[in-house]
C-alpha cells in the first residue's frame, strides 16, 4: 500500500514537471517568433518597403499627391513622375506641399522646395531625396528602402510615364 502511494506521488510530480517544462518551452518559442518578426527587415507593405502608390492614370499631370503609407509625395510633371521623401533635408521635419503657394514649405525653419524637390529658399542644403519608381502595367510602385540624395535635381531623376 505504501509503495503504491509513493508511485502515485512520483507520477504526479513527473506530470507536473513535464507540464511545467512544456509551458516554458512554449513561452520561449513564442518569444523567439516575436523576436524574429521584430528583427526581420521590412520588405513590403509599409515605409521601408515597396509601396503601391496607385494607377498612373489617377495622377494628373502637374499634380502633387501625398502617399501617406510611404511618407512621400508623388509629383507628376509633363515629363513623368518623381517620388519625393517628405523629410526635410535641413533637420528632418516633415515637409507639406502647400497648394496655395505652389511649393513645399517646411514648417520648422522655412525651407522651400519646388515640385521636383529643388531648393527654392531657406536653410536646406540640398533637394528633397527621392525614391526609385517602377511602373508595371500602369501601377506605380515606389521602393522606399532606397532614398537617393542629390546635390541638384536632374531630368534623369524623373521616371517617364
Ligand atoms: S527642418 Fe526644414 S527647414 Fe529646418
Amino acid at each position: 500500500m505504501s509503495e503504491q502511494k509513493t508511485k502515485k506521488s512520483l507520477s504526479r510530480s513527473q506530470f507536473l514537471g513535464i507540464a511545467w517544462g512544456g509551458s516554458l518551452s512554449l513561452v520561449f518559442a513564442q518569444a523567439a517568433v516575436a523576436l524574429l518578426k521584430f528583427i526581420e527587415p521590412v520588405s513590403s507593405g509599409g515605409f521601408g518597403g515597396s509601396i503601391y502608390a496607385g494607377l498612373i492614370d489617377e495622377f494628373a499631370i502637374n499634380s502633387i499627391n501625398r502617399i501617406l503609407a510611404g511618407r512621400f509625395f508623388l509629383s507628376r510633371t509633363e515629363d513623368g513622375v518623381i517620388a519625393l521623401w517628405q523629410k526635410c533635408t535641413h533637420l528632418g521635419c516633415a515637409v507639406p506641399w502647400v497648394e496655395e503657394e505652389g511649393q513645399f514649405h517646411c514648417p520648422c525653419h522655412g525651407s522651400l522646395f519646388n515640385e521636383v524637390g529643388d531648393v527654392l529658399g531657406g536653410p536646406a542644403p540640398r533637394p528633397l531625396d527621392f525614391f526609385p519608381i517602377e511602373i508595371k502595367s500602369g501601377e506605380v510602385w515606389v521602393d522606399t528602402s532606397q532614398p537617393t540624395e542629390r546635390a541638384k535635381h536632374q531630368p534623369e531623376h524623373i521616371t517617364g510615364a
Side-chain angles (χ1 to χ4, degrees):
M1 181 76 180
S2 163
E3 192 179 313
Q4 203 174 17
K5 197 172 185 181
T6 306
K7 271 188 178 175
K8 257 190 177 178
S9 170
L10 188 60
S11 173
R12 193 175 296 139
S13 71
Q14 281 178 333
F15 172 77
L16 288 175
I18 290 168
W20 177 244
S23 297
L24 272 181
S25 299
L26 192 62
V27 167
F28 283 122
Q30 286 178 330
V33 168
L35 181 66
L36 285 174
K37 280 189 175 180
F38 179 74
I39 61 175
E40 180 184 20
V42 177
S43 58
S44 65
F47 182 74
S50 189
I51 304 284
Y52 173 63
L55 294 171
I56 189 64
D57 293 340
E58 294 171 350
F59 303 106
I61 292 173
N62 296 323
S63 70
I64 308 277
N65 289 275
R66 186 174 188 196
I67 310 298
L68 268 177
R71 303 180 196 170
F72 64 83
F73 289 88
L74 194 79
S75 173
R76 185 165 186 192
T77 69
E78 293 185 357
D79 301 320
V81 284
I82 183 169
L84 299 166
W85 194 3
Q86 67 180 17
K87 185 179 173 187
C88 184
T89 53
H90 179 223
L91 294 177
C93 289
V95 185
W97 171 258
V98 181
E99 192 64 45
E100 306 77 49
E101 297 178 18
Q103 62 189 352
F104 292 97
H105 191 153
C106 184
C108 295
H109 313 99
S111 286
L112 305 171
F113 306 87
N114 69 10
E115 73 283 357
V116 290
D118 249 343
V119 179
L120 299 174
R126 58 186 165 78
L128 293 171
D129 299 339
F130 69 100
F131 297 113
I133 294 176
E134 196 178 352
I135 301 175
K136 299 182 265 189
S137 305
E139 296 180 343
V140 181
W141 289 87
V142 177
D143 182 358
T144 59
S145 71
Q146 300 176 49
T148 301
E149 294 184 7
R150 57 214 170 128
K152 185 159 180 45
H153 175 72
Q154 301 294 334
E156 59 266 26
H157 299 160
I158 300 277
T159 301

